[in-house]
């Protein structure tokens, strides 16, 4: 009986909410075209379909894998995908490992790199092999075997895209991850959504006609926290993304303003207002107060936890104007990080905690800056429109942010070291704001 | 002490109220009842959480005339009840002399209507940062509450809430519109 209980709870929840929420996006080929702006030197890569060893007679698995792989590689800004219509060799007519196909069929297309593979489907179980080849060297660089259900194929492709980036650039890619954000695409109301960076797997977390704000993942990507006014009284909600249920967190002596989860998801850093002052508190995941982190007659908001879980960055106006500060998660004296600009908010740590991205307001608009956590000179990354809510990718290469550069607010990603390379991630109606880029889903 | 509560308005049905609603909606009485009772017996205020906790707006006494409710219903947020709005400078929360006079008039009404309570809503213009503005709106609401308290209005007749920049009166991008949005709005509660 005990084993049944956890099953019953989500079933009932799903009866109520899931039919409304499953306005998801299916296969990657239904997604809008992707535009990468400003890309410079790019690797030319061919993403061949998969050879059908069994059970993929319509080629659906092969197509889903190849399209998702190509989309994520393109999104990275590092690759130019050679048009599949030009491929000479058909996957079914050749092998997929060294010595089983002709490199000349790919070098003639000017491909520097090639992905080939094979798929076998038995009783709904997918077994998939994918390999990366260096065309000029005629060598196999890397290969991976995946097993799972047919629903996991896009996940396999994203994981392989990250491995391709690892092999070619020396650093794992950031696409086997999720993006949470707020959008008004459903109407007037700000709702929280989660999708992958490639736009697939879109899932609506909230569906209430009020105000839902500030989604943040924990590092395990099992939990998401957000602020909502859905019961009139603003509260933090911690969503268990696997069980599809949530816990409501309120304070009996103050009002929730915002919050973030610690890396392990077991604790919350909450911004709580009392008597006009907003301070940061460390709470247990069920909302019990563990420690006051700040205790000022000031505003302390926007808590962000470093991925190693040791420090927090936040925004405070204790100096008179909102500025970025850092302090140990366990408590201690805050240290001011930003001294340039008079309105600096919304900090996000890079993966090793050495840098902070934040938004800075000047002349009626915001731009994204980065600054060493130890202090130093800020670097401006954006121009045009208003650019807000930076969130660093787990590989440290990219920053997701919201921008009005194209009119409506949309989510973009840019390379932190070369911000001219940029892609729009969301293309729906409405305004998309507050992106949060998760840690990797897989090992 | 921070209180947590599972399931209010959320996915998980822990409260009897939501479970009954589920049963009514889907006529899956047996399943819903089983789920609720199982859940309750397994997690009676799990981890120190109080299943009836939270301050919830019910505790204050309804919020029908509030800006959030108007927003939900697609109604115009403008217009005052018997209590007029007060306004603030950019990134500021001090009560001006002019708005002090408005608050004196509001205090008079509250003294004449001792059975009424008021919720003070703090609002901001849309140029600031979202989360900072929620904290700033709270300061604005608190500033009016403190002022009214000095005029003899008991603190327990007043509550505050901030909507930051989420519920603007006016959506144009100009000084006049921003000034209208930087406001405290007073919502009468109680019979």
């Amino acid at each position: 009986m005990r084993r049944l209980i956890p099953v019953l709870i989500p079933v009932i929840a799903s009866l109520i909410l899931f039919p409304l929420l499953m306005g998801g996006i299916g296969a990657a080929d239904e997604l809008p075209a992707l535009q990468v702006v400003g890309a410079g030197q790019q690797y030319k890569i061919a993403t061949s379909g998969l050879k059908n060893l069994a059970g993929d007679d319509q080629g659906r698995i092969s197509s889903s894998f190849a399209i998702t792989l190509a989309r994520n590689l393109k999104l990275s800004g590092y690759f130019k995908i050679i048009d599949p219509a030009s491929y000479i060799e058909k996957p079914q007519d050749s092998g997929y490992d060294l010595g089983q196909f002709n490199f000349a069929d790919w070098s003639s297309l000017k491909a520097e790199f090639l992905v080939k593979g094979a798929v076998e489907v038995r009783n709904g179980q997918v077994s998939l092999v994918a390999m990366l080849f260096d065309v000029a060297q005629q060598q196999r660089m890397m290969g991976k075997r995946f097993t799972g259900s047919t629903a996991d194929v896009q996940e396999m492709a994203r994981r392989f895209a990250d491995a391709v980036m690892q092999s070619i650039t020396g650093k794992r890619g950031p696409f086997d991850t999720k993006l949470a954000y707020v959008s008004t695409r459903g109407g007037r109301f700000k709702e929280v959504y989660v999708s992958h960076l490639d736009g697939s797997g879109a899932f609506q977390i909230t569906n209430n006609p009020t105000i839902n704000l500030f989604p943040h993942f924990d590092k395990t990507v099992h939990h998401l926290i957000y602020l909502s006014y859905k019961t009139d009284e603003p509260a933090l909600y911690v969503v268990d993304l696997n069980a599809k249920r949530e816990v409501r967190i309120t304070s009996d002596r103050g009002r929730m303003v915002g919050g973030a989860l610690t890396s392990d998801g077991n604790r919350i850093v909450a911004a709580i207002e009392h008597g006009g002052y907003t301070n940061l508190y460390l709470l247990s995941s069920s909302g019990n107060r563990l420690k006051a982190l700040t205790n000022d007659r000031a505003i302390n908001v926007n808590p962000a936890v470093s991925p190693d879980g040791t420090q927090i960055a936040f925004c405070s106006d204790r100096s008179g104007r909102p500025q970025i500060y850092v302090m140990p998660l366990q408590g201690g004296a805050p240290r001011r990080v930003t001294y340039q600009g008079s309105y600096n908010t919304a900090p996000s740590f890079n993966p090793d905690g050495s840098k902070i991205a934040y938004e800075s307001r000047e002349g009626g608009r915001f731009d994204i800056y980065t600054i060493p956590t130890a202090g130093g000179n800020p670097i401006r990354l954006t121009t045009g429109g208003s650019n807000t809510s930076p969130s660093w990718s787990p590989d440290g290469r990219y920053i997701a942010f919201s921008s009005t550069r194209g009119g409506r607010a949309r989510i973009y990603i840019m390379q932190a070291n070369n911000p001219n390379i940029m892609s729009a991630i969301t293309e729906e109606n409405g305004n998309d704001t507050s992106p949060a880029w998760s840690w990797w889903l897989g090992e | 002490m921070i209180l947590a509560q599972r399931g209010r308005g959320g996915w998980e049905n822990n409260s009897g109220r939501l479970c009954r609603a589920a049963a009514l909606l889907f006529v899956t009485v047996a399943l819903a009842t089983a789920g609720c009772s199982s859940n309750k017996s397994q997690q009676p205020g799990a981890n120190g959480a109080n299943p009836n906790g939270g301050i919830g707006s019910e505790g204050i006494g309804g919020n029908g005339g509030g800006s959030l409710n108007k927003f939900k219903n697609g109604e115009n947020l403008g217009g005052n009840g018997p209590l007029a709005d007060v306004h603030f400078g950019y990134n500021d929360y001090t009560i001006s002399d002019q708005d002090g006079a408005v608050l004196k008039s509001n205090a008079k009404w509250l003294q004449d209507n001792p059975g009424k309570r008021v919720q003070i809503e703090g609002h901001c213009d849309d140029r600031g940062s979202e989360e900072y503005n929620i904290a700033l709106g709270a300061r604005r609401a608190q500033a009016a509450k403190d002022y009214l308290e000095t005029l003899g209005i008991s603190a327990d007749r007043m509550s505050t809430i901030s909507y930051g920049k989420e519920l603007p009166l006016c959506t144009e991008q100009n000084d006049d519109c921003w000034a209208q949005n930087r406001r405290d709005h007073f919502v009468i509660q109680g019979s």
Side-chain angles (χ1 to χ4, degrees):
Chain A
M1 187 59 203
R2 247 187 114 72
R3 285 174 58 84
L4 282 176
I5 290 166
V7 179
L8 280 173
I9 297 162
V11 164
I12 292 160
S14 73
L15 277 174
I16 295 170
L17 283 174
F18 278 33
L20 296 171
L21 299 182
M22 293 302 279
I25 299 164
D29 53 358
E30 295 166 22
L31 295 169
L34 201 61
Q35 282 236 313
V36 180
V37 175
Q41 179 78 36
Q42 290 180 312
Y43 302 110
K44 295 186 180 67
I45 189 167
T47 54
S48 167
L50 303 171
K51 181 165 186 158
N52 175 25
L53 301 182
D56 190 29
D57 300 332
Q58 309 296 318
R60 288 204 184 103
I61 304 268
S62 168
S63 166
S64 174
F65 183 85
I67 288 169
T68 304
L69 175 64
R71 186 172 178 86
N72 283 279
L73 290 176
K74 185 176 176 186
L75 198 54
S76 77
Y78 285 85
F79 295 94
K80 179 170 175 17
I81 314 298
I82 296 175
D83 180 5
S86 69
Y87 296 173
I88 297 159
E89 180 203 279
K90 302 293 172 251
Q92 214 53 31
D93 301 337
S94 68
Y96 54 92
D97 205 347
L98 273 184
Q100 301 172 352
F101 62 91
N102 189 353
F103 276 106
D105 288 342
W106 301 100
S107 57
S108 66
L109 301 175
K110 303 216 165 23
E112 295 168 84
F113 301 99
L114 165 67
V115 173
K116 288 182 70 66
V119 62
E120 197 174 338
V121 188
R122 294 187 196 281
N123 303 321
Q125 276 295 107
V126 175
S127 177
L128 193 155
V129 176
M131 297 185 188
L132 174 68
F133 298 95
D134 182 323
V135 174
Q137 301 293 320
Q138 304 203 356
Q139 282 178 354
R140 190 175 72 200
M141 299 174 71
M142 177 270 291
K144 287 203 177 287
R145 177 179 293 278
F146 301 96
T147 55
S149 75
T150 52
D152 298 328
V153 171
Q154 291 186 30
E155 181 80 33
M156 297 173 190
R158 281 187 288 272
R159 207 162 288 191
F160 193 71
D162 285 358
V164 167
M165 289 179 70
Q166 168 85 55
S167 285
I168 294 174
T169 71
K171 191 196 270 187
R172 179 185 184 182
F175 297 110
D176 180 26
T177 53
K178 288 180 176 176
L179 184 78
Y181 52 94
V182 170
S183 178
T184 58
R185 66 186 53 170
R188 297 181 291 129
F189 304 108
K190 288 186 173 178
E191 303 283 7
V192 175
Y193 294 77
V194 170
S195 74
H196 296 289
L197 271 292
D198 61 20
S200 68
F203 186 83
Q204 190 173 341
I205 296 283
T206 64
N207 189 4
N208 60 76
T210 60
I211 305 162
N212 303 283
L213 301 165
F214 316 138
H216 298 288
F217 292 103
D218 70 352
K219 195 177 169 186
T220 71
V221 206
H222 292 146
H223 303 95
L224 176 86
I225 193 169
Y226 65 95
L227 182 82
S228 177
Y229 284 76
K230 60 182 153 187
T231 63
D232 292 348
E233 172 73 15
L236 291 170
Y237 293 82
V238 179
V239 181
D240 182 326
L241 293 165
N242 300 321
K244 302 282 195 288
R245 61 182 189 181
E246 62 184 27
V247 179
R248 180 177 192 260
I249 312 283
T250 57
S251 163
D252 65 347
R253 71 177 293 272
R255 279 221 162 76
M256 292 299 177
V257 171
L261 292 164
T262 56
S263 299
D264 58 11
N266 290 334
R267 287 171 297 169
I268 299 162
V269 181
I272 302 176
E273 179 267 330
H274 175 68
Y277 305 112
T278 301
N279 280 292
L280 301 180
Y281 297 86
L282 190 63
L283 313 180
S284 74
S285 61
S286 57
N288 291 308
R289 188 154 76 201
L290 304 176
K291 185 187 281 264
L293 295 170
T294 67
N295 184 17
D296 308 305
R297 297 167 76 82
I299 288 174
N300 298 282
V301 288
N302 291 141
V305 181
S306 63
D308 72 358
T310 62
Q311 52 183 341
I312 57 171
F314 61 101
C315 160
S316 177
D317 75 343
R318 63 188 61 205
S319 70
R321 288 289 185 177
Q323 297 289 351
I324 307 301
Y325 292 74
V326 293
M327 69 180 288
L329 178 67
Q330 294 310 320
R335 177 172 57 77
R336 182 169 167 181
V337 177
T338 54
Y339 286 90
Q340 293 184 35
S342 62
Y343 197 111
N344 299 319
T345 51
S348 167
F349 280 105
N350 74 341
D352 70 9
S354 66
K355 289 182 188 173
I356 292 170
Y358 61 96
E359 57 184 30
S360 182
R361 185 175 178 278
E362 196 183 339
R365 44 180 292 277
F366 284 94
D367 274 310
I368 308 295
Y369 287 71
T370 60
I371 191 168
T373 306
N377 288 323
I379 299 170
R380 190 174 83 181
L381 300 187
T382 54
T383 51
S386 195
N387 304 284
T388 55
S389 302
S391 176
W392 228 300
S393 66
D395 64 350
R397 254 188 290 232
Y398 304 92
I399 293 171
F401 62 104
S402 174
S403 178
T404 59
R405 62 191 57 213
R408 269 198 283 269
R410 292 161 70 188
I411 310 297
Y412 294 76
I413 66 171
M414 63 182 163
Q415 292 192 10
N417 291 329
N418 190 354
N420 293 324
I421 301 180
M422 184 173 298
S423 311
I425 296 295
T426 56
E427 311 212 13
E428 302 281 340
N429 296 325
N431 287 306
D432 298 332
T433 51
S434 284
W437 198 324
S438 84
W439 201 253
W440 284 288
L441 299 170
E443 286 304 307
Chain B
M1 175 66 184
I2 309 289
L3 300 173
Q5 182 176 4
R6 284 175 183 267
R8 271 181 51 183
W11 285 339
E12 184 186 349
N13 288 289
N14 209 2
S15 77
R17 186 173 64 248
L18 271 179
C19 277
R20 279 194 297 277
L24 283 170
L25 276 171
F26 294 97
V27 207
T28 51
V29 181
L31 184 56
T33 310
C36 291
S37 56
S38 305
N39 193 0
K40 268 182 186 163
S41 63
Q42 194 188 21
Q43 297 169 319
N47 305 321
N50 177 354
N52 300 310
I55 339 176
S57 62
E58 298 91 331
I60 302 167
N63 214 4
S67 297
L68 182 63
N69 226 41
K70 288 182 178 172
F71 176 62
K72 282 187 207 174
N73 298 330
E75 295 165 21
N76 189 342
L77 301 187
N80 290 317
L83 306 184
D85 287 1
V86 294
H87 296 89
F88 298 88
Y90 172 72
N91 200 15
D92 194 9
Y93 55 95
T94 52
I95 304 286
S96 68
D97 291 347
Q98 187 187 337
D99 284 315
V102 173
L103 288 177
K104 286 189 179 79
S105 161
N106 288 353
K108 169 84 167 54
W109 188 91
L110 287 164
Q111 276 156 352
D112 293 346
N113 294 272
K116 302 286 188 186
R117 299 154 59 96
V118 63
Q119 182 163 61
I120 308 168
E121 298 178 348
H123 296 269
C124 304
D125 73 34
D126 69 357
R127 291 176 295 170
S129 177
E130 285 180 307
E131 193 167 325
Y132 179 83
N133 269 6
I134 292 179
L136 177 62
R139 260 187 179 172
R140 288 177 175 164
Q142 185 70 33
K145 181 175 180 238
D146 289 347
Y147 199 104
L148 289 170
E149 210 176 337
T150 65
L151 298 174
I153 307 302
S154 166
D156 59 18
R157 292 178 64 195
M158 299 183 281
S159 64
T160 59
I161 192 164
S162 173
Y163 294 112
K165 64 178 192 178
E166 305 302 325
L167 301 176
L169 276 180
C170 171
T171 54
E172 287 162 39
Q173 296 295 308
N174 56 51
D175 287 342
D176 188 45
C177 193
W178 292 323
Q180 285 185 55
N181 288 335
R182 294 189 300 266
R183 69 201 190 275
D184 278 343
H185 182 66
F186 299 83
V187 181
I188 306 298
Q189 299 177 320
S191 51

